[in-house]
Amino acid sequence: NWVGADAVDAVPGADYQIVRLADPITTATATTRTWSCDAAPEMETIDVGLEYPGDRLAPSPIAVTGVADPRPRPVETLDPATPEYREAAVGVLADLGIDDPDPEVVQVVRADLEGDGTAEVFVTTEYMANGTVNSVEGDYSVTFLRRIVEGSVRTMIVSESVSRFLGGYQSSVAAARVSAIADLNGDGQSEVVLDLSAWEQSATVVHEVGSAG
């Protein structure tokens, strides 16, 4: 089940499974480390030996414990240059009011989340003139889901970040990447983990399949 972060103690010696999208799952033994910085009080963290990637937009792995099989079904990374996904991105962006006839698709990941025999596909499309620094008008990063519902392809936006001029400032775009598709709470269904990276900001967000699918 889900466990609140404030209810968990860092336990040295615990074994974790390291999940990296479609790569083989590895294991690591946790140690504890205490650190502090000017912006945060002293914190105790669980260290499983992972390093920050040199490319801040590279998908980061997820460390999982307490789940026997965090990857109950295969996860595939697909060619983002496939025309089908670029055409789908054009339509999704148009619904958001973004006119980009030739969007760049930067990531496509496929997996069967619910184990119903039908795979879902996650597509990330983006344009950032200056990378994650100093966004300009027209920058965006959008991740959407494609799935088959009653024989037809349906799309749903999972994450959207569009640069807009608000309150005298240009808002920063948070670039999204699917970093893992894994069963994180042991219910047999897979959750989707997104890394979000913006100027001087980052976050990890977990999405799970709702009761209505």
Side-chain angles (χ1 to χ4, degrees), residues 65-84:
T65 190
V67 177
D69 185 6
R71 186 185 288 154
R73 288 166 294 281
V75 175
E76 301 174 272
T77 55
L78 305 180
D79 183 2
T82 303
E84 173 186 359

Side-chain angles (χ1 to χ4, degrees), residues 2-147:
W2 294 115
V3 179
D6 56 356
V8 178
D9 293 324
V11 181
D15 290 330
Y16 283 77
Q17 297 189 72
I18 311 301
V19 184
R20 296 177 172 86
L21 280 180
D23 293 347
I25 294 176
T26 59
T27 59
T29 300
T31 59
T32 56
R33 182 165 60 96
T34 302
W35 63 278
S36 61
C37 66
D38 294 340
E42 189 172 274
M43 300 176 63
E44 187 177 59
T45 63
I46 300 173
D47 189 343
V48 291
L50 299 177
E51 300 294 333
Y52 286 105
D55 177 5
R56 65 180 298 178
L57 294 182
S60 299
I62 290 293
V64 186
T65 190
V67 177
D69 185 6
R71 186 185 288 154
R73 288 166 294 281
V75 175
E76 301 174 272
T77 55
L78 305 180
D79 183 2
T82 303
E84 173 186 359
Y85 302 123
R86 186 171 299 218
E87 292 167 7
V90 171
V92 169
L93 294 173
D95 290 340
L96 293 173
I98 300 171
D99 182 15
D100 189 345
D102 189 26
E104 180 182 8
V105 174
V106 296
Q107 187 188 41
V108 181
V109 182
R110 180 169 62 192
D112 180 356
L113 299 181
E114 300 157 289
D116 60 2
T118 301
E120 285 75 34
V121 178
F122 293 85
V123 180
T124 298
T125 180
E126 70 184 22
Y127 174 79
M128 295 185 295
N130 302 313
T132 58
V133 180
N134 298 331
S135 296
V136 298
E137 189 74 27
D139 284 5
Y140 64 83
S141 180
V142 177
T143 298
F144 60 93
L145 164 69
R146 283 166 56 87
R147 67 191 314 176

Side-chain angles (χ1 to χ4, degrees), residues 3 68 83 104 128-129 144 185 187 199 205 211:
V3 179
E104 180 182 8
M128 295 185 295
F144 60 93
N185 64 350
D187 66 354
W199 183 39
V205 182
S211 59

